[in-house]
Amino acid sequence: MINDPAVSEFKNQFVYGHRNQTCDITALLQKGQNTLRVNVTLHHDGDGVVDPLCLLGHFGVTFDSRARPVMTKIDLNAMTPIQHGPLLQHPYYAGKTLLRREELIENIPLTDYFTLHLSELDRNFHDCLEVIVNGYSLGERAWTPYQWEFFSLEKIKLKSKLRTH
Protein backbone atom coordinates (compact mmCIF):
# COMPACT_ATOMS: atom_id res chain seq x y z
CA MET A 1 0.00 0.00 0.00
CA ILE A 2 1.17 3.50 -0.81
CA ASN A 3 -0.61 6.16 1.26
CA ASP A 4 -3.48 3.63 1.86
CA PRO A 5 -4.49 2.66 -1.72
CA ALA A 6 -3.55 -0.96 -2.42
CA VAL A 7 -0.97 -1.65 -5.12
CA SER A 8 -2.01 -4.69 -7.10
CA GLU A 9 -1.04 -4.41 -10.77
CA PHE A 10 2.38 -6.02 -10.53
CA LYS A 11 4.11 -7.42 -13.61
CA ASN A 12 7.07 -9.75 -13.89
CA GLN A 13 10.11 -7.74 -14.97
CA PHE A 14 13.78 -8.66 -14.72
CA VAL A 15 15.59 -5.92 -12.78
CA TYR A 16 18.12 -7.75 -10.58
CA GLY A 17 16.74 -11.28 -10.80
CA HIS A 18 14.17 -13.46 -12.56
CA ARG A 19 11.65 -13.24 -9.68
CA ASN A 20 11.40 -9.43 -9.70
CA GLN A 21 7.96 -7.85 -9.95
CA THR A 22 7.39 -4.17 -10.64
CA CYS A 23 4.51 -1.73 -10.44
CA ASP A 24 4.36 1.96 -11.36
CA ILE A 25 3.37 3.88 -8.21
CA THR A 26 3.96 7.38 -9.54
CA ALA A 27 0.24 8.28 -9.46
CA LEU A 28 0.02 7.26 -5.78
CA LEU A 29 2.86 9.47 -4.58
CA GLN A 30 2.04 12.83 -3.02
CA LYS A 31 4.15 15.86 -2.26
CA GLY A 32 5.64 15.62 1.21
CA GLN A 33 5.65 12.39 3.21
CA ASN A 34 4.53 9.07 1.68
CA THR A 35 3.91 5.81 3.52
CA LEU A 36 4.70 2.35 2.16
CA ARG A 37 2.96 -0.48 4.03
CA VAL A 38 3.31 -4.19 3.25
CA ASN A 39 0.65 -6.64 4.47
CA VAL A 40 1.65 -10.30 4.28
CA THR A 41 -0.32 -13.45 5.10
CA LEU A 42 1.98 -16.23 6.26
CA HIS A 43 1.12 -19.92 5.94
CA HIS A 44 4.60 -21.50 5.57
CA ASP A 45 8.16 -20.72 6.64
CA GLY A 46 9.07 -19.49 3.15
CA ASP A 47 6.15 -17.06 2.89
CA GLY A 48 6.58 -13.31 3.21
CA VAL A 49 8.89 -10.74 1.73
CA VAL A 50 11.95 -12.75 0.70
CA ASP A 51 13.49 -10.22 -1.72
CA PRO A 52 14.35 -6.57 -1.07
CA LEU A 53 11.82 -3.86 -1.88
CA CYS A 54 13.37 -1.37 -4.30
CA LEU A 55 12.27 1.98 -5.62
CA LEU A 56 13.40 2.52 -9.20
CA GLY A 57 13.51 5.82 -11.03
CA HIS A 58 15.28 9.10 -11.59
CA PHE A 59 15.48 10.54 -8.09
CA GLY A 60 18.07 11.31 -5.47
CA VAL A 61 18.20 10.55 -1.76
CA THR A 62 19.30 12.92 0.98
CA PHE A 63 18.76 12.74 4.74
CA ASP A 64 16.69 14.96 7.02
CA SER A 65 17.78 16.25 10.44
CA ARG A 66 16.80 12.90 12.04
CA ALA A 67 18.88 10.91 9.48
CA ARG A 68 15.79 9.60 7.67
CA PRO A 69 16.10 9.17 3.89
CA VAL A 70 14.26 11.76 1.80
CA MET A 71 13.65 11.46 -1.97
CA THR A 72 14.77 14.50 -3.96
CA LYS A 73 14.73 15.63 -7.55
CA ILE A 74 18.04 15.44 -9.36
CA ASP A 75 19.32 17.40 -12.31
CA LEU A 76 20.13 14.77 -14.94
CA ASN A 77 22.40 17.26 -16.73
CA ALA A 78 24.44 18.21 -13.65
CA MET A 79 28.16 17.48 -13.57
CA THR A 80 28.84 14.78 -10.95
CA PRO A 81 32.47 14.27 -9.99
CA ILE A 82 34.10 10.91 -10.70
CA GLN A 83 34.74 9.65 -7.16
CA HIS A 84 34.63 6.55 -5.00
CA GLY A 85 32.16 5.76 -2.27
CA PRO A 86 28.56 6.84 -1.93
CA LEU A 87 27.64 9.35 -4.61
CA LEU A 88 26.01 12.63 -3.64
CA GLN A 89 22.22 12.02 -3.63
CA HIS A 90 22.79 8.31 -4.45
CA PRO A 91 23.80 6.58 -1.17
CA TYR A 92 21.86 3.41 -2.09
CA TYR A 93 22.85 3.36 -5.74
CA ALA A 94 22.68 0.09 -7.67
CA GLY A 95 22.87 -0.17 -11.43
CA LYS A 96 24.15 2.36 -13.95
CA THR A 97 24.80 6.03 -13.41
CA LEU A 98 26.29 8.75 -15.53
CA LEU A 99 29.11 10.82 -14.09
CA ARG A 100 30.46 13.69 -16.12
CA ARG A 101 33.43 15.94 -16.04
CA GLU A 102 35.15 18.06 -18.59
CA GLU A 103 38.82 17.57 -19.29
CA LEU A 104 40.80 20.20 -21.11
CA ILE A 105 43.31 18.61 -23.48
CA GLU A 106 45.80 21.41 -24.10
CA ASN A 107 48.81 19.76 -25.68
CA ILE A 108 47.68 17.13 -28.16
CA PRO A 109 50.80 15.48 -29.60
CA LEU A 110 51.22 15.68 -33.36
CA THR A 111 51.63 11.93 -33.72
CA ASP A 112 49.39 9.16 -35.01
CA TYR A 113 49.36 7.50 -31.59
CA PHE A 114 47.97 9.17 -28.46
CA THR A 115 47.53 8.05 -24.82
CA LEU A 116 44.99 9.82 -22.61
CA HIS A 117 45.53 9.89 -18.82
CA LEU A 118 42.87 11.51 -16.65
CA SER A 119 44.26 14.21 -14.40
CA GLU A 120 43.48 14.24 -10.70
CA LEU A 121 41.29 11.12 -10.68
CA ASP A 122 40.28 10.03 -7.17
CA ARG A 123 42.91 7.46 -6.03
CA ASN A 124 40.17 5.37 -4.38
CA PHE A 125 37.97 5.16 -7.47
CA HIS A 126 37.78 1.48 -8.50
CA ASP A 127 34.82 1.18 -10.87
CA CYS A 128 34.41 0.72 -14.59
CA LEU A 129 35.15 3.90 -16.50
CA GLU A 130 34.34 4.67 -20.13
CA VAL A 131 35.66 7.73 -21.93
CA ILE A 132 33.62 9.23 -24.73
CA VAL A 133 35.21 12.03 -26.72
CA ASN A 134 32.80 13.98 -28.93
CA GLY A 135 30.46 10.98 -29.16
CA TYR A 136 33.24 8.47 -29.92
CA SER A 137 33.90 5.80 -27.27
CA LEU A 138 37.55 5.16 -26.49
CA GLY A 139 36.51 2.04 -24.57
CA GLU A 140 35.98 0.97 -20.98
CA ARG A 141 38.54 0.28 -18.28
CA ALA A 142 37.60 -1.87 -15.30
CA TRP A 143 40.70 -1.07 -13.23
CA THR A 144 43.77 1.14 -13.04
CA PRO A 145 45.62 2.45 -14.87
CA TYR A 146 42.77 4.44 -16.33
CA GLN A 147 44.36 5.33 -19.63
CA TRP A 148 43.22 5.09 -23.22
CA GLU A 149 45.35 4.63 -26.30
CA PHE A 150 43.99 5.47 -29.73
CA PHE A 151 45.15 6.36 -33.21
CA SER A 152 42.76 8.99 -34.58
CA LEU A 153 43.09 12.57 -33.36
CA GLU A 154 40.58 14.03 -35.82
CA LYS A 155 37.64 13.30 -33.46
CA ILE A 156 39.20 15.21 -30.56
CA LYS A 157 38.58 18.89 -29.91
CA LEU A 158 40.15 20.95 -27.15
CA LYS A 159 37.18 20.54 -24.82
CA SER A 160 35.55 17.09 -24.62
CA LYS A 161 33.05 15.51 -22.25
CA LEU A 162 33.99 12.36 -20.36
CA ARG A 163 31.45 9.93 -18.94
CA THR A 164 31.50 6.87 -16.71
CA HIS A 165 29.04 4.17 -15.85
Side-chain angles (χ1 to χ4, degrees):
M1 300 180 109
I2 304 288
N3 300 322
D4 288 330
V7 177
S8 59
E9 297 181 21
F10 286 90
K11 63 180 180 180
N12 293 326
Q13 180 180 356
F14 185 92
V15 179
Y16 301 111
H18 69 281
R19 296 188 62 202
N20 298 143
Q21 293 187 348
T22 62
C23 181
D24 187 353
I25 62 167
T26 306
L28 301 175
L29 297 176
Q30 57 194 21
K31 193 170 189 161
Q33 184 171 332
N34 290 275
T35 302
L36 167 66
R37 188 173 77 212
V38 178
N39 296 329
V40 179
T41 302
L42 302 174
H43 296 287
H44 302 29
D45 290 347
D47 291 347
V49 178
V50 295
D51 289 321
L53 296 172
C54 301
L55 295 176
L56 307 173
H58 297 291
F59 60 87
V61 177
T62 58
F63 297 92
D64 68 10
S65 61
R66 294 172 53 194
R68 295 177 301 190
V70 176
M71 290 174 62
T72 60
K73 288 184 178 181
I74 57 170
D75 180 1
L76 296 176
N77 296 314
M79 294 289 227
T80 302
I82 300 171
Q83 66 183 44
H84 85 291
L87 301 174
L88 182 65
Q89 292 192 334
H90 294 88
Y92 306 118
Y93 155 77
K96 270 189 174 180
T97 191
L98 177 65
L99 307 176
R100 295 182 187 177
R101 91 178 208 191
E102 291 190 0
E103 184 84 13
L104 184 60
I105 304 173
E106 293 178 337
N107 299 315
I108 298 175
L110 300 175
T111 62
D112 290 336
Y113 181 75
F114 182 75
T115 302
L116 174 68
H117 300 269
L118 298 183
S119 65
E120 301 176 17
L121 189 63
D122 186 331
R123 287 183 42 219
N124 296 307
F125 179 83
H126 301 292
D127 289 313
C128 290
L129 184 71
E130 177 184 18
V131 171
I132 296 178
V133 179
N134 300 329
Y136 176 76
S137 175
L138 301 182
E140 294 185 25
R141 300 293 179 265
W143 51 78
T144 58
Y146 292 109
Q147 64 185 35
W148 290 261
E149 300 165 346
F150 55 100
F151 297 96
S152 175
L153 296 180
E154 64 189 35
K155 296 186 186 269
I156 295 182
K157 295 181 182 174
L158 290 181
K159 201 170 190 182
S160 301
K161 289 188 178 179
L162 306 180
R163 92 174 172 181
T164 72
H165 59 127

